[in-house]
Amino acid sequence: MEEIQQAYLYMLKVERQFSEHTLKSYYDDLEQFNDFLNQEYLSLKTFEYKDARNYLSYLYSKNLKRTSVSRKISTLRSFYEYWMVQDENVINPFIQLVHPKKEQYLPHFFYEEEMEALFHTVEKDLKKGLRDRVILELLYATGIRVSELVNIKEQDLDMNLPGVKVLGKGGKERFIPFGEFCKQSIEHYLESFSPKKGNEHDYLLVNMNGAPITERGVRYVLNDVVKRTAGVTDIHPHKLRHTFATHMLNQGADLRTVQSLLGHVNLSTTGRYTHVTNEQLKKVYLNAHPRAKKEN
């Protein structure tokens, strides 16, 4: 990987504070691009618009999803924009390239009874469950990303309001309130979870050795909970984020409020959850209205 690409990745890590997961995606996108350059006997400096069109065709030939192709093109467009700032002679070959349209999909989420089943499972494990319940409560109560969750420190909590301060994408800070269930879980955890004692850090969530828990560790915890929960087969941190947004909108929260809580820059990103709530409204309507269905 060339020095300018390494400098770009370093900027994303240090200045924009991207998560390790996001950085890996950018790194992989650049590596695939470099493979194409080598295959076609091209270089960064000789690459131009016609080559960008060929690269787009190359990505399609890999049978990638349109969302993946779109992300890879965005990575390269962003990289060249960064390079242009460093070198005024550079021209962005991806600037006029049309993005492929993204597939439309509905975010997967848990129904309320499924969430209750997950919390019931966690309660059975009295010691480890104190920590696991806080993970589940915070993800569901606030809709935060797993990268935001693992970086919460005790001083980020306000137990009077109550709520939590998190550092989101691009280093943007926001405050998200949470309810009594989440507050009580955090209080019980801080009072009784012994592995945290004696460790020289102030991160809220820890593993069983007392070290700060990782994103991978959170996913392991959630998968372990699901294995012991009847009727629930799939879970990941972002599904809980989807669940938070969907349940908030189902209960009457306005789109702007949910956008602010999730830390979305664009309202259109939050807007995809209205498709879910509209489907829910349609289902309730068809089941409830006496003239919604025509009898055979």
Side-chain angles (χ1 to χ4, degrees):
M1 185 171 289
E2 295 200 17
E3 288 184 11
I4 187 63
Q5 292 176 329
Q6 293 177 346
Y8 170 65
L9 292 171
Y10 183 78
M11 180 274 295
L12 296 179
K13 180 179 181 178
V14 175
E15 294 183 19
R16 299 193 185 177
Q17 298 183 333
F18 283 6
S19 69
E20 289 300 323
H21 178 75
T22 303
L23 285 170
K24 186 179 185 307
S25 295
Y26 276 75
Y27 178 86
D28 290 344
D29 291 345
L30 290 174
E31 279 290 89
Q32 187 172 25
F33 179 56
N34 290 339
D35 289 341
F36 176 80
L37 293 178
N38 293 331
Q39 178 182 309
E40 299 296 320
Y41 301 101
L42 297 168
S43 69
L44 286 177
K45 292 184 178 180
T46 61
F47 194 86
E48 53 189 41
Y49 174 65
K50 65 179 180 64
D51 300 313
R53 294 183 61 182
N54 289 336
Y55 185 62
L56 184 62
S57 299
Y58 168 80
L59 292 176
Y60 277 129
S61 72
K62 297 292 184 181
N63 295 319
L64 297 171
K65 291 183 178 180
R66 283 180 289 179
T67 49
S68 297
V69 174
S70 182
R71 191 202 71 231
K72 291 175 184 294
I73 297 301
S74 292
T75 295
L76 294 169
R77 184 175 290 169
S78 172
F79 160 67
Y80 271 96
E81 286 173 358
Y82 168 80
W83 194 8
M84 288 169 66
V85 174
Q86 315 303 316
D87 186 345
E88 60 182 14
N89 295 318
V90 173
I91 298 175
N92 192 339
F94 290 94
I95 197 68
Q96 296 179 359
L97 199 65
V98 178
H99 271 237
K101 290 185 178 180
K102 296 181 180 180
E103 294 102 334
Q104 296 296 320
Y105 72 96
L106 296 181
H108 296 292
F109 65 96
F110 291 111
Y111 290 97
E112 291 183 30
E113 56 268 25
E114 291 177 314
M115 288 303 307
E116 288 300 322
L118 289 169
F119 283 119
H120 182 67
T121 297
V122 170
E123 286 176 352
K124 293 178 181 178
D125 189 345
L126 296 180
K127 183 181 177 182
K128 179 173 171 290
L130 289 171
R131 192 275 317 273
D132 296 354
R133 186 177 182 87
V134 171
I135 290 174
L136 203 59
E137 285 281 8
L138 274 169
L139 288 173
Y140 176 53
T142 65
I144 58 177
R145 304 174 179 92
V146 66
S147 59
E148 297 167 342
L149 175 76
V150 298
N151 283 305
I152 292 175
K153 297 181 179 179
E154 288 188 39
Q155 59 262 36
D156 296 327
L157 296 168
D158 186 330
M159 303 305 283
N160 294 316
L161 283 174
V164 61
K165 178 180 67 178
V166 298
L167 196 64
K169 289 185 175 180
K172 293 183 179 179
E173 191 176 275
R174 69 186 191 281
F175 183 85
I176 310 113
F178 51 72
E180 285 300 314
F181 282 101
C182 187
K183 178 184 177 181
Q184 289 178 12
S185 294
I186 294 172
E187 289 174 341
H188 292 161
Y189 164 74
L190 291 174
E191 290 170 3
S192 310
F193 197 73
S194 57
K196 189 171 177 60
K197 296 173 182 176
N199 283 275
E200 296 180 359
H201 65 78
D202 51 3
Y203 285 95
L204 174 66
L205 294 167
V206 298
N207 58 28
M208 297 307 292
N209 296 319
I213 198 168
T214 63
E215 294 182 27
R216 184 176 181 182
V218 171
R219 292 184 176 91
Y220 177 85
V221 167
L222 295 178
N223 288 333
D224 183 57
V225 172
V226 161
K227 288 177 183 176
R228 297 181 284 119
T229 306
V232 181
T233 58
D234 175 59
I235 193 171
H236 51 83
H238 230 66
K239 188 171 182 179
L240 290 166
R241 183 168 163 87
H242 295 329
T243 302
F244 163 81
T246 303
H247 289 184
M248 287 286 289
L249 290 168
N250 280 345
Q251 295 299 323
D254 66 274
L255 205 58
R256 288 286 183 185
T257 298
V258 176
Q259 177 194 10
S260 177
L261 292 171
L262 290 174
H264 285 160
V265 175
N266 299 314
L267 189 62
S268 59
T269 307
T270 317
R272 60 181 171 163
Y273 294 108
T274 61
H275 297 296
V276 178
T277 55
N278 288 341
E279 285 295 317
Q280 182 72 5
L281 286 171
K282 180 181 177 182
K283 182 179 178 181
V284 171
Y285 175 83
L286 291 175
N287 288 332
H289 198 283
R291 292 181 66 84
K293 296 180 182 178
K294 190 174 181 179
E295 296 183 2
N296 294 328

